[in-house]
Amino acid sequence: MNKVLTIIILLLASLTNSLYGKGHYSGGDGSADAPYLIESSADLLTLSLSSNDWGAHFQLTENIDMANVDAFTSIGNYTHYFTGKFDGRFYTVNNLVVKGMETVGLFGAVSGTILNLGVVNIVVSGSSYVGGLAGRLQRKDNEGGVISNCYVTGFVDGADGRIGGLVGSNHDGEIDGCWSSCTVTGEITHVGGLVGWNSGLVLNCYAKGNVTGGFAGTGGLLGLNNGTVDHCYASGDSNGESFIGGLIGYSGDKGIVTKSYASGFVMGTNAVGGLIGKNESKISICYALGDAKGLSSYIGGLVGWHQGTISNCYAKGNAVGAHDIGGLAGYSNGAIAYCYATGIVSGDNDVGGFVGKCGNSSTLDDVFYLNTSTINRHGIPISSATMKTEKCFDGWQSDSVWGITDALIYPYLIAIEVTVPKVVNLTESLAAGSLKNVNL
């Protein structure tokens, strides 16, 4: 019966579109002053089939249940992007199932604006460019490509690459104030709890679902990053083969990662880090709490393989692997300054409390690790008591970046502890009809 109903709705929507060129909705004319009103599953189905409307303005007027819809086509595709504006007005789209190949999600390809929308209990599957909210987000001609104040819960699966809980691939777009609790799986590359592949801005976001990737580039928040990540965190576990990180799998040389953290367990084979698996970017004011475990080489409490810059960071998780194992970085051929590590490290060769192995271009400036860890020449070993003293960290910008309660706790990062949003209770958030950010 459900399939028959879906077919009837699809036929009616298709007939309407063919007769009038545009879809008919529950109100409005699609302008900025009078957006089309989406108040039912039939309206949303009409939008998915009415490509002539994909540059218009839309508003959701109530929560929509898509449980009885057996066939749904993503809004926007690789050849015809959604360029309009969709304002969810803090309502939700629930129980949607979307299947496809490329650019798959509630929205397929987007270069417009989506805001104030919750997508609850979605199930999405495809090949590449697969996301719970959007498969592909792109800013074109310095316009659009914005997702703000949105969230997704459910399951996202991709057979190829660029798979994310919220967005599969972000090309120079902006994602701000969003979160995902999706379970995300991908079989090859670039799999992230929030975004699979990123060259844009990701601000004030978090992901808390578990992520399982394939060959390379798996992260609790992002699979691959060549953009800016600011005030974000991930709390789910990440598992894959190479370049596996609690926050980001692989952060390239155009990347900037600041005021962010990860707390999940990270497991892989090579280049595994509590925060970032392989790093060529600039990392500042970040930390990692989860353990990092690898079957082979380049395993670190913060970063597995490092060839960028790291400053004002710390790692508290343990690091376990075969060789090139470090409390902060498994292997470093870049710069590290004003950082510390407290985790236990273990491995067979090139094991260090701070860095397992340093390359010829490696520099270390004012870096510490607990002397209970394996001691080698990289970094300064100090006792737990000494690490809790303010005097030990003179010159570490203690007024603006670091805080410490003398003799009681290890130094912490002021900017993160105060401003990163905390995971909200989903039931409470839905009942309130709004998205909340709660300070730690």
Side-chain angles (χ1 to χ4, degrees), residues 332-405:
S332 176
N333 199 35
I336 305 176
Y338 313 120
C339 297
Y340 74 85
T342 63
I344 298 171
V345 294
S346 60
D348 299 325
N349 298 297
D350 293 317
V351 179
F354 192 79
V355 175
K357 184 177 181 180
C358 287
N360 293 332
S361 298
S362 175
T363 62
L364 301 176
D365 185 16
D366 265 5
V367 297
F368 303 96
Y369 66 94
L370 287 180
N371 59 10
T372 54
S373 295
T374 302
I375 298 175
N376 65 13
R377 63 186 181 278
H378 307 307
I380 302 172
I382 58 176
S383 68
S384 177
T386 301
M387 193 173 282
K388 295 175 182 177
T389 60
E390 186 173 356
K391 183 178 180 180
C392 182
F393 299 94
D394 286 345
W396 274 40
Q397 297 177 290
S398 57
D399 293 335
S400 59
V401 177
W402 292 94
I404 188 169
T405 303

Side-chain angles (χ1 to χ4, degrees), residues 247-279:
L247 190 77
I248 300 171
Y250 178 12
S251 194
D253 59 5
K254 296 180 182 178
I256 297 173
V257 183
T258 186
K259 297 178 182 177
S260 300
Y261 73 90
S263 60
F265 173 72
V266 188
M267 175 73 181
T269 301
N270 296 296
V272 179
L275 190 79
I276 298 177
K278 181 176 180 179
N279 178 61

Side-chain angles (χ1 to χ4, degrees), residues 63-413:
N63 298 333
I64 295 178
D65 189 357
M66 303 294 286
N68 292 327
V69 176
D70 294 316
F72 184 86
T73 302
S74 299
I75 303 166
N77 55 54
Y78 189 75
T79 57
H80 194 156
Y81 279 64
F82 177 83
T83 59
K85 181 178 179 180
F86 192 101
D87 185 352
R89 298 179 66 238
F90 306 109
Y91 292 108
T92 61
V93 174
N94 306 303
N95 304 313
L96 177 64
V97 177
V98 189
K99 298 178 181 179
M101 291 299 292
E102 291 191 355
T103 58
V104 186
L106 171 59
F107 291 82
V110 177
S111 60
T113 300
I114 304 171
L115 67 159
N116 308 324
L117 176 63
V119 180
V120 178
N121 195 32
I122 193 169
V123 178
V124 185
S125 60
S127 177
S128 57
Y129 299 92
V130 182
L133 181 63
R136 181 184 179 111
L137 177 68
Q138 184 164 358
R139 184 172 176 82
K140 291 186 174 182
D141 301 322
N142 294 319
E143 293 183 353
V146 175
I147 296 178
S148 176
N149 212 26
C150 296
Y151 66 91
V152 182
T153 73
F155 300 87
V156 177
D157 177 71
D160 199 336
R162 305 195 182 197
I163 318 298
L166 186 86
V167 174
S169 189
N170 176 28
H171 300 253
D172 304 323
E174 180 177 330
I175 301 172
D176 187 5
C178 297
W179 59 268
S180 167
S181 64
C182 290
T183 298
V184 183
T185 58
E187 297 182 17
I188 301 182
T189 60
H190 309 148
V191 184
L194 191 81
V195 180
W197 188 98
N198 175 61
S199 65
L201 301 176
V202 180
L203 313 171
N204 306 305
C205 294
Y206 65 83
K208 61 175 183 175
N210 295 332
V211 183
T212 302
F215 173 69
T218 301
L221 190 81
L222 308 178
L224 180 141
N225 175 55
N226 260 315
T228 297
V229 177
D230 188 356
H231 279 91
C232 295
Y233 73 88
S235 59
D237 297 339
S238 301
N239 195 320
E241 293 186 29
S242 298
F243 313 154
I244 316 299
L247 190 77
I248 300 171
Y250 178 12
S251 194
D253 59 5
K254 296 180 182 178
I256 297 173
V257 183
T258 186
K259 297 178 182 177
S260 300
Y261 73 90
S263 60
F265 173 72
V266 188
M267 175 73 181
T269 301
N270 296 296
V272 179
L275 190 79
I276 298 177
K278 181 176 180 179
N279 178 61
E280 297 173 352
S281 64
K282 297 178 180 178
I283 307 172
S284 64
I285 314 179
C286 294
Y287 67 86
L289 301 178
D291 294 342
K293 184 176 181 180
L295 301 178
S296 185
S297 56
Y298 313 127
I299 318 299
L302 191 81
V303 174
W305 190 97
H306 168 60
Q307 194 171 334
T309 63
I310 301 175
S311 63
N312 294 302
C313 295
Y314 66 84
K316 290 188 174 181
N318 302 325
V320 180
H323 62 88
D324 295 354
I325 316 298
L328 193 99
Y331 171 82
S332 176
N333 199 35
I336 305 176
Y338 313 120
C339 297
Y340 74 85
T342 63
I344 298 171
V345 294
S346 60
D348 299 325
N349 298 297
D350 293 317
V351 179
F354 192 79
V355 175
K357 184 177 181 180
C358 287
N360 293 332
S361 298
S362 175
T363 62
L364 301 176
D365 185 16
D366 265 5
V367 297
F368 303 96
Y369 66 94
L370 287 180
N371 59 10
T372 54
S373 295
T374 302
I375 298 175
N376 65 13
R377 63 186 181 278
H378 307 307
I380 302 172
I382 58 176
S383 68
S384 177
T386 301
M387 193 173 282
K388 295 175 182 177
T389 60
E390 186 173 356
K391 183 178 180 180
C392 182
F393 299 94
D394 286 345
W396 274 40
Q397 297 177 290
S398 57
D399 293 335
S400 59
V401 177
W402 292 94
I404 188 169
T405 303
D406 210 28
L408 292 178
I409 59 174
Y410 299 137
Y412 59 92
L413 292 163

